[in-house]
Amino acid sequence: VPDENLIVGGPFINQRFWTIDTGKGTGQDCGRAAPGGGQINQIIWEPITRRALIPSYTTSTVTAFDPSAAPNWPENPSVLASAHSEGQMRPTGLIHDGKHVWMASSPEYGTLGGALSRIDPRTGEIRIWRHLVPDQKVNAVLVDPERRRVYCSTEIYADCNSAPPTQTTGRLVAFDMDALEITREQVIEEEVPSASVMAVLPTGEVLAQQKGQLYAWDAEKGALRDLGPAPEGCRGAAIDPETNTIWTCAESSIGWLEITDSAVEFHPEWEGSGSYLQVVSGTLYYASGFEICAVDLEPSKG
């Protein structure tokens, strides 16, 4: 959060969270962040209420942290909303559309039927669509406020394969933010159990991946462009809104994707591995092992 000189993060498993004051270069262990056991799964900045929103396993609960006040669980962070009433356990994605927050999730062990949820960050009101695709979990979520769409991807498996699947094919899903209904379900390839949405491209298409292959999906027309193989180990993408550069991490390097009408080319910029990529104000942030890395993109592409 550059205008707050703040980074908020969480370690694996123990439900604690931490902050880094980038102005002072100091960090703080802020204690417990959420109810129950498990771990924090994502963190986003909520600009309306100026709080960090923190969803966590095992109850798909979103807590809200106000950095202007001292950390003091359960007052700060405090519980904002939860999808646990609909059997949801693990948040698999959280994203802001400028007004609402959308959460993807998988259900409790031994059950099927993940969900898409919409949360009002001011009131905590939550709407939950379980079985968005019957008996499948929602594994990623994107938003396109300009076209008023939420894009999701699904897979057929229960969390940690804890229940036998009843379906055979993972899907891409387009959901209307205003009508609150699915406008399109798309199969990339039949009998493939999982699909993944990665980013909304400047063209309005959705960058998606299945079996190591990248696609550009036009959800309005139901059209797919096969772009070719993804970089080995490609796990996510972040778009620089100023240059429309698509940054991604591969098995041993971080770089950008050049997408043409029918092909994609990966341009590595530096060695290393990364996850949780974000581009904010011309800086690429990512996690690498026990470190948070920040890269000024000016010397790189664009």
Side-chain angles (χ1 to χ4, degrees):
V1 190
D3 56 345
E4 294 281 343
N5 291 326
L6 180 71
I7 295 174
V8 185
F12 183 65
I13 279 298
N14 65 5
Q15 287 292 34
R16 300 180 77 83
F17 77 113
W18 46 257
T19 59
I20 296 173
D21 185 323
T22 58
K24 298 178 181 178
T26 56
Q28 178 183 5
D29 182 340
C30 296
R32 176 169 281 275
Q39 71 274 339
I40 294 165
N41 293 94
Q42 301 87 27
I43 302 174
I44 65 169
W45 179 247
E46 202 293 292
I48 299 172
T49 62
R50 303 198 65 75
R51 298 181 295 179
L53 301 189
I54 305 173
S56 66
Y57 160 92
T58 57
T59 59
S60 285
T61 295
V62 179
T63 56
F65 170 64
D66 179 357
S68 69
N72 181 29
W73 169 261
E75 282 76 35
N76 189 36
S78 59
V79 172
L80 176 67
S82 177
H84 196 231
S85 64
E86 287 293 333
Q88 299 306 292
M89 178 179 68
R90 190 187 307 273
T92 54
L94 192 77
I95 195 165
H96 205 296
D97 71 11
K99 181 179 180 181
H100 291 100
V101 174
W102 299 83
M103 179 171 66
S105 59
S106 66
E108 294 177 324
Y109 294 125
T111 65
L112 297 169
L116 175 68
S117 300
R118 189 191 72 175
I119 301 166
D120 186 326
R122 294 157 295 190
T123 66
E125 179 187 6
I126 184 170
R127 292 194 61 173
I128 305 167
W129 291 269
R130 187 171 184 181
H131 291 285
L132 188 71
V133 175
D135 284 356
Q136 300 200 26
K137 70 181 178 188
V138 185
N139 60 21
V141 59
L142 304 171
V143 295
D144 185 350
E146 181 180 341
R147 296 170 181 83
R148 307 298 298 162
R149 292 292 182 268
V150 179
Y151 301 113
C152 304
S153 49
T154 69
E155 58 188 79
I156 67 173
Y157 302 114
D159 201 296
C160 294
N161 294 316
S162 56
T166 66
Q167 308 298 304
T168 61
T169 307
R171 298 173 182 271
L172 307 177
V173 178
F175 188 88
D176 189 306
M177 289 182 184
D178 301 312
L180 300 179
E181 62 185 17
I182 292 173
T183 58
R184 188 177 299 277
E185 289 186 22
Q186 184 90 34
V187 171
I188 298 176
E189 186 177 334
E190 294 283 357
E191 306 296 318
V192 178
S194 178
S196 176
V197 293
M198 299 175 65
V200 178
L201 300 173
T203 59
E205 298 166 298
V206 177
L207 181 66
Q209 184 174 180
Q210 187 177 71
K211 288 199 313 183
Q213 201 80 356
L214 290 176
Y215 299 86
W217 177 44
D218 184 333
E220 298 304 305
K221 298 178 181 178
L224 283 166
R225 290 193 289 131
D226 188 337
L227 300 174
E232 189 70 27
C234 177
R235 296 183 298 278
I239 296 181
D240 184 341
E242 296 179 5
T243 64
N244 288 330
T245 306
I246 306 163
W247 292 91
T248 190
C249 51
E251 192 170 87
S252 59
S253 59
I254 295 173
W256 52 281
L257 297 174
E258 181 182 5
I259 296 177
T260 61
D261 287 343
S262 58
V264 62
E265 183 176 355
F266 176 61
H267 299 270
E269 288 286 345
W270 60 88
E271 293 183 355
S273 61
S275 57
Y276 301 105
L277 277 70
Q278 298 181 53
V279 179
V280 184
S281 300
T283 299
L284 173 66
Y285 297 89
Y286 61 94
S288 181
F290 295 103
E291 297 178 326
I292 302 298
C293 302
V295 180
D296 181 357
L297 297 178
E298 289 302 317
S300 302
K301 202 276 178 183

